[in-house]
Amino acid sequence: MDGFWGALARAVGLILAWDAELIEIIGLSLRVTLSAVAAACLIGLPLGAAVGAFRFPGRIAATVALNALMGLPPVVVGLMVYLTLSASGPLGVLGLLYTPAAMIVAQTVLVAPIVAALTRQVVEELDREYAEQFASLGLGPLGRVRALLWDARYALLTVALAGFGRATAEVGAVMIVGGNIDHATRVMTTAIALETSKGNLELALALGVVLIAIAVAVTGTVMTLRASAVRMAYG
Amino acid sequence: MAEPLLSASGLCFEAGGGRLIDGVDLAIRPGARVAVMGANGAGKSLLLRLLHGLIRPSAGEILWRGRPPGREARQAQAMVFQRPVLLRRSVRANLRFALAARGAGRADRIARAEQALVRARLDRLAQRPARLLSAGEQQRLAVARALACAPRLLFLDEPTASLDPASALAVEALIRDAHADGVAIVLVTHDAGQARRLGDELVFLDAGRVAETGALPGALEAPRSEAARAWVEGRLHTGPAR
């Protein structure tokens, strides 16, 4: 236990000292994760809303597919993105492999189905409530999706939060497509795995503490926003 | 006699192996005030939804000014539901949304939303979240929103069913004002007093069929059909075999 507490104390020291390596890793992690969540929301929100709001042939199959894709194994996604971006792959010419961009792509592939599936659920429920009013007003399909997304905005924050949770904790896919290269593609999760295997527990623990702190801060902010929206009957 | 705004002939709707609306013929003329009455499950709300185009009939025809209803019919109609469907936005934003959905320009929808707020005496609550209003205020907002769209025909599905008398009267005042402005009204109600106050014509439904029609208030005082008579006298009526 002494080893643990000693390592934890040194980890806190690293954080307080604003260690350059630590900051670099945290910065890249946030950049990759937030970019991936933003891209996943751009894809997943309208896709989920369309599946949730419209009736079309194959809708049940689309719903099942979205739900199934929520459980995509990260290493499989990593492998697929690796094969796509590798020199002999269809997008190899872009030269993205082992760059933060490749990590963003991999995390987007992982998170977009989560955002889409949860959005479908939220929007479908809201659409059941609004459908007749929208039909009475003669609202077109685009207007309907826009209105549903806007009115579900606070519930969708929680959806984005679920995506953020998945992305920020993910290690397998970014390890495969990013390569965990020092000063290039090393993020918190891959660094924790590496530093632990090297026995450098201070840095691993410091990163773990920061990772948890970020998760708590983001979750706390979203929950506060959501609670205030519910109080105002906007949630 | 003026050409009907909306006419239905041989209107039927089937679901779950049963015929819920059965051969309804109806004509709603400009400025009409039609009260649709009947027991629970008689098909009143369903008929309203069919006439408003929210549900497709299984058979029969609905015409708007002699033609199949299109965009013009949608623009000229509005509906208020028993439970007001209010967006998760402010009172003012609810009004502006409806006007935007109807294609009103920005300046127009701002002006018309403000007029509607004043008309419904909701101007002091304009910034409040609509879903935090009292039940009476919510229904006033729903009626104001429908009227802001300047309909020629307004469908109302038991708009005061869950309101106290004062709130119900406030909603009725809005409906009366709308009619005074020339809006035709089709009102579903269980309240004979309200039917007399707001209706000129009665359509009494029994098991999806029109059992009685006539001018109000006379049609409620001396109903000819057994179904309407039983309803007026507060007796249970089992209805015709389906």
Side-chain angles (χ1 to χ4, degrees):
Chain A
M1 283 304 285
D2 189 42
F4 172 79
W5 291 113
L8 186 62
R10 287 192 293 280
V12 172
L14 279 178
I15 295 168
L16 294 177
W18 210 245
D19 181 78
E21 189 182 0
L22 189 71
I23 298 305
E24 184 189 353
I25 293 171
I26 293 167
L28 181 62
S29 297
L30 285 177
R31 186 155 67 89
V32 168
T33 301
L34 292 176
S35 304
V37 171
C41 285
L42 278 177
I43 299 164
L45 289 176
L47 178 64
V51 176
F54 301 137
R55 307 287 173 265
F56 54 88
R59 180 172 177 267
I60 292 175
T63 303
V64 170
L66 282 181
N67 288 339
L69 288 172
M70 282 174 79
L72 270 178
V75 284
V76 174
V77 170
L79 183 61
M80 280 160 38
V81 175
Y82 177 89
L83 291 172
T84 308
L85 298 179
S86 65
S88 56
L91 298 179
V93 68
L94 298 174
L96 293 178
L97 202 59
Y98 302 128
T99 67
M103 296 154 77
I104 292 170
V105 170
Q107 288 202 341
T108 302
V109 173
L110 268 176
V111 174
I114 295 175
V115 173
L118 296 178
T119 299
R120 181 207 59 81
Q121 205 174 324
V122 167
V123 166
E124 191 174 305
E125 211 166 286
L126 196 60
D127 187 57
R128 263 198 288 273
E129 185 186 333
Y130 286 178
E132 282 197 321
Q133 184 65 57
F134 284 175
S136 175
L137 289 169
L139 197 62
L142 256 181
R144 209 167 128 202
V145 165
R146 275 174 49 191
L148 287 167
L149 284 175
W150 179 252
D151 270 37
R153 59 198 180 279
Y154 292 105
L156 294 176
L157 270 180
T158 315
V159 169
L161 179 66
F164 178 82
R166 167 81 159 187
T168 201
E170 197 283 316
V171 58
V174 288
M175 184 75 95
I176 292 173
V177 301
N180 195 22
I181 302 166
D182 201 12
H183 304 301
T185 58
R186 185 160 295 169
V187 289
M188 284 193 275
T189 50
T190 58
I192 289 171
L194 177 71
E195 299 304 330
T196 304
S197 69
K198 280 163 54 184
N200 185 5
L201 294 181
E202 297 89 69
L203 186 56
L205 263 175
L207 288 165
V209 168
V210 172
L211 195 57
I212 291 169
I214 289 171
V216 169
V218 171
T219 306
T221 307
V222 169
M223 284 180 68
T224 307
L225 264 172
R226 181 106 167 84
S228 99
V230 168
R231 267 199 309 280
M232 298 286 283
Y234 286 159
Chain B
M1 195 174 268
E3 178 199 24
L5 275 180
L6 187 87
S7 60
S9 55
L11 205 59
C12 294
F13 182 78
E14 292 172 358
R19 185 167 277 200
L20 307 179
I21 293 291
D22 191 0
V24 169
D25 298 317
L26 198 66
I28 299 155
R29 298 182 192 286
R33 298 196 304 171
V34 180
V36 181
M37 303 187 77
N40 289 333
K44 306 181 295 295
S45 298
L46 190 55
L47 177 62
L48 228 59
R49 282 165 169 76
L50 284 165
L51 294 174
H52 188 38
L54 297 181
I55 307 174
R56 274 171 201 261
S58 308
E61 189 179 45
I62 297 173
L63 297 176
W64 175 258
R65 303 177 77 189
R67 291 182 186 168
R71 187 176 153 75
E72 185 211 336
R74 171 66 61 224
Q75 292 278 344
Q77 298 177 19
M79 181 158 174
V80 174
F81 299 91
Q82 183 177 350
R83 276 189 58 207
V85 183
L86 299 177
L87 274 63
R88 289 157 170 79
R89 306 179 189 197
S90 71
V91 170
R92 180 177 276 128
N94 265 273
L95 290 163
R96 288 185 184 175
F97 173 81
L99 289 162
R102 287 292 172 96
R106 187 177 149 74
D108 190 26
R109 60 179 184 257
I110 289 173
R112 281 162 68 183
E114 295 313 305
Q115 284 168 12
L117 283 168
V118 173
R119 190 173 187 175
R121 290 184 293 110
L122 291 168
D123 41 332
R124 282 185 306 110
L125 303 171
Q127 287 300 105
R128 287 274 295 277
R131 296 159 74 97
L132 288 186
L133 299 181
S134 70
E137 289 164 344
Q138 287 195 11
Q139 195 58 288
R140 251 161 53 215
L141 172 57
V143 176
R145 182 177 59 187
L147 294 176
C149 297
R152 297 193 62 194
L153 173 57
L154 176 64
F155 294 101
L156 298 134
D157 188 4
E158 298 191 54
T160 60
S162 54
L163 304 186
D164 61 57
S167 301
L169 282 176
V171 170
E172 285 188 11
L174 282 175
I175 298 169
R176 255 197 304 274
D177 287 352
H179 179 255
D181 289 343
V183 179
I185 307 286
V186 180
L187 166 79
V188 167
T189 181
H190 277 289
D191 179 350
Q194 185 172 67
R196 287 186 189 98
R197 287 191 297 275
L198 296 180
D200 296 320
E201 302 167 44
L202 172 72
V203 172
F204 194 94
L205 287 184
D206 181 37
R209 294 180 191 155
V210 176
E212 178 119 9
T213 56
L216 283 167
L220 276 176
E221 268 136 38
R224 296 180 305 272
S225 69
E226 168 55 19
R229 210 164 31 246
W231 190 88
V232 168
E233 291 167 6
R235 284 186 285 116
L236 278 177
H237 170 69
T238 51
R242 291 197 186 199

